[in-house]
Amino acid sequence: MTTHNATVNVRLDETAPLRRIWRYVGYDEPNYTYSPAGRELLGKLGGMSDAPYFIRCHFILCSGDGAGKLKWGSTNVYSEDADGAAVYSYTLIDRILDATIETGCIPFVELGFMPEALSTAPAGTPYDDPRHGGWRFPPKDYGRWLELIRNLAAHCLERYGLAEVSRWYWELWNEPDIFYWAGSTAEFCRLYDYTEAGLHAVLPQALLGGPATTSGATRPASNQFLRDFLEHIVRGTNALTGQRGTRLDYISYHSKGGGYGVEPNAAKKTPTMHTLLSNVAAGLAVINDFPELAGHEIILSECDPDGWAAGSVHDNPNLAYRNSEYYASYVACTANKLIDLRAEKGARIDGMLTWAFQFENREYFEGHRTLSTNGIDKPVLNVFRLLAKLGSMRLPLESDGARDPLAAGAADSESSPPDISGIAATDETGGIQIFLCSHHDDWDVDISTEVSVTLSGLDDGRTYTIQRSLVARGSSNAYTAFLEMGKPQPPSADQITALHAAARLKTEKVGDITAAAGNAALAVTLPAHSVCLIQLVPV
C-alpha cells in the first residue's frame, strides 16, 4: 500500500446554514416498509440526530394483494365494482404511511403507478410484470385518475391531519422517459395536469413535483423529456383548464454513476463520480433555461452509483461493491460534491435520495443495493450516522486533495490518488465537526492518505477533546467481518452477534488540542475508501 499527502483547511471566520441534502431514502418494494425488518431500518433512519428522513417508494397505487417481491409491490387502492363505480381501499397504503410516520420519517409520496382497472394496457398484457406490465400505461379516464388523487389526498388529510401532510413531498410517477411509462410525453404532461388539480383541490399547500426522469447525460432523450415537461409547465396549455402553464412546486430527476445488467461472468466495471456528476449537471443545464423556475427546489429523487437496486452478485459479480466500504465512500463523496454544485445561473441540488433499503428472505450480503442485510447494517448506513452528527452551521473547508470530476472530464485514472473532500460544521455548543471522505472510482486502488487538518479562527487558548469515527475496511464494517468468517450462509447465532458488533459505528477519543493564536492542527490517516468524522468537543 502506498501513501500520499493532503491538506484540509477549516475556517471559523464565517458560517452559513448547513443544507442537509442527504436526508432522502427510497426503494421499489412498498410492502417491505411495514415488515419487522423494514420498520427496524426505518427506525434507524428516523432515530438519526438530524432526522427526519424522507421516504419514497414505487408501486403504491398498483393493484394486487400486497405481497412484496423484488421490484414489485401493491396496495389495491383502486378498483371498480360490477357497475363500474370506483372502490377505494386504504388498508395497505395506511400501513405504509403509518410505518413511515411512526418511525420518525416523513412520506415522499410517489403517485404511481396505474391501477389495473384504469390502465389502457392492450388485452393480454400481464399487469404485474415488473418491466412490461399493465401498470405502466396511461389511464382510460383522466377524470377518474384525478378523482383517485383527490380521494387519496382527502383520506391522508383526514387520517394524519393538516400539520403532518403539509410536511410531505408528492411526486408524479417515476422515470417516465423509459419503460416506467408506456405513453407519450404529451400524455404524461396531461397526467400531470390532472394530478395537480386533484391534489391541490384538497391540499393547496402540498408540494408536488416531477418529472423524475433518468440520467440526462447518459441518455440525451431523457434530458429532452425533462425539457419538454418543463416547457409544458411554464408555457404549455393546461390539459384540464386550457390556461397557460401548470403549477409545479419542485423539480425532480435522477442521476446514476453507472449501470449493470445480468452478466454472471462480467468483467470488472466500476461506477464513476464523473458519470454521476455529468448527469446532474445535464439536468441543471436544462433547468437553467427556464428562468420562470428560478428558486424552485431541485431534488434528485434517485442518486446512486448505479441503477439496479434489485440485482445481486449472482447476477453480476461487480455488485459486491455494495456490501463494502466502497459504497460508503461513494455516497459520502457524492454528498461532498453535490452540496456545492451550481449551474451557471445558480440552480443547485437541494436533495439527493439514496435508492436503497432492505430485502426480505435474501442471503446475507447478497449484493443488493441496501442499507442493511437481514438486519445487519452495511458500512453505507454509518455514513448517514456520521453526516447526522454535523452541526447546523456550515464552516468553510478547503482541501488540496479534492478533484472536480467534471473538469477532469473522465473517470479517475488508476494511478491518481483518492479524492479527499469534506464538509465542516459547528453546533450551538461551539463543537466543531469535520466530515472527510477518501474515494477513488477504482475499488482496487489501495492508497492511504495522510491528511493534515488546520483550523483557524478558534478562540485563543480554548481546549477541545478530539474524537474520531472511521468507516473503512475493518472499521465499523460488518462486511469485513463476514469475509473473515468465510461468508457463511446463514451465519450462526454467535456469528450474527459478531456481525452486529462489527457493524456498530465506533468513536474513539484520540487526545486533546488547545488553540494557539486562534489556530490548531491535527492529522488523520484515511485509507483509500473511507469516511471519517473528526469531532472537536469543547472541554
Side-chain angles (χ1 to χ4, degrees), residues 342-407:
R342 297 287 191 279
E344 181 181 350
K345 297 179 182 177
R348 69 182 188 184
I349 298 302
D350 296 291
M352 49 170 276
L353 186 146
T354 295
W355 194 255
F357 193 55
Q358 65 91 31
F359 288 105
E360 301 283 324
N361 303 314
R362 308 301 300 189
E363 294 177 1
Y364 286 76
F365 297 99
E366 194 171 345
H368 299 297
R369 195 166 67 241
T370 56
L371 302 178
S372 70
T373 172
N374 292 288
I376 297 169
D377 298 344
K378 289 185 176 181
V380 65
L381 188 55
N382 281 329
V383 172
F384 294 96
R385 292 189 170 105
L386 294 180
L387 286 166
K389 295 179 183 294
L390 292 172
S392 61
M393 300 303 293
R394 189 177 177 194
L395 301 172
L397 181 150
E398 297 175 351
S399 170
D400 65 5
R403 281 195 298 277
D404 180 354
L406 293 176

Side-chain angles (χ1 to χ4, degrees), residues 61-65 72-78 114-117 127-128:
L61 299 183
C62 283
S63 305
D65 59 5
W72 179 253
S74 59
T75 66
N76 217 39
V77 62
Y78 178 92
M114 195 58 61
E116 187 170 17
Y127 177 74
D128 61 352

